[in-house]
Amino acid sequence: MSIIDLTLERAHKEWSDFEDTGNEMMVDSIVLNLHAAYNGLEVLFESIARTVDQHRPQGERWHQELLSQMAKPIKDVRPTVISYDSCQMLSNYCRFRHVVRHTYPIEIKISPVKEHLDYAVPTFEQAKAELLAFAEMLSKLDSAKP
């Protein structure tokens, strides 16, 4: 089980605790765990952008651009890292990450947190499977080199 899996598992447990107690401070922890899960993927995407693509987006929208970069093949360099569907689903978490980083916790609404939590496991599982397939492809390319 990866650290991202553990982070999402923790967020789901905290939601259950929130439902049992009504303690809204649990939502803060859920938000941070969702943020951390996306951030973990983004670190992997940055690494691919730097080492494989030899280019990491810059500027104000670099987070979104990086995600889009991972969903596009680069001719003579690599196929897509993640599918268009994963890119679309992860884009929601990228925007959520931005809100978390630029908003006071008390201003974050509970219903979007629940929606993000509901879709987190299938979203991150799909991205993980695609990343593992990409890593396998890189491994095969590397082992085929003389």
Side-chain angles (χ1 to χ4, degrees):
M1 183 173 276
S2 75
I3 191 73
I4 293 173
D5 294 330
L6 292 171
T7 301
L8 294 175
E9 185 177 289
R10 183 176 180 155
H12 279 92
K13 183 191 178 318
E14 290 160 346
W15 183 265
S16 179
D17 292 348
F18 164 67
E19 287 184 318
D20 290 345
T21 65
N23 182 351
E24 290 187 10
M25 291 178 66
M26 298 300 297
V27 176
D28 296 350
S29 182
I30 296 163
V31 164
L32 288 176
N33 278 292
L34 288 171
H35 173 281
Y38 181 77
N39 195 60
L41 282 182
E42 190 172 73
V43 167
L44 294 172
F45 295 153
E46 280 186 276
S47 179
I48 293 166
R50 283 192 179 106
T51 60
V52 178
D53 301 358
Q54 301 290 304
H55 168 74
R56 178 187 145 322
Q58 303 294 315
E60 194 174 299
R61 293 188 29 82
W62 77 265
H63 297 277
Q64 261 323 120
E65 290 172 15
L66 176 66
L67 191 54
S68 294
Q69 182 175 322
M70 296 296 107
K72 294 176 185 163
I74 298 178
K75 187 177 180 182
D76 299 325
V77 176
R78 63 158 175 82
T80 60
V81 176
I82 58 170
S83 66
Y84 176 79
D85 287 344
S86 285
C87 180
Q88 294 301 306
M89 292 185 300
L90 289 170
S91 185
N92 293 323
Y93 292 90
C94 184
R95 286 189 298 277
F96 184 70
R97 176 213 142 291
H98 179 81
V99 168
V100 170
R101 293 185 59 103
H102 298 283
T103 306
Y104 288 105
I106 198 163
E107 295 176 308
I108 294 176
K109 305 285 186 252
I110 293 173
S111 61
V113 172
K114 175 64 170 140
E115 185 175 327
H116 281 88
L117 188 61
D118 287 345
Y119 292 102
V121 170
T123 298
F124 285 84
E125 283 295 318
Q126 181 171 322
K128 182 170 106 176
E130 292 169 354
L131 276 162
L132 288 170
F134 181 75
E136 179 68 22
M137 183 273 311
L138 286 180
S139 178
K140 286 178 182 174
L141 287 176
D142 192 44
S143 65
K145 289 181 182 177

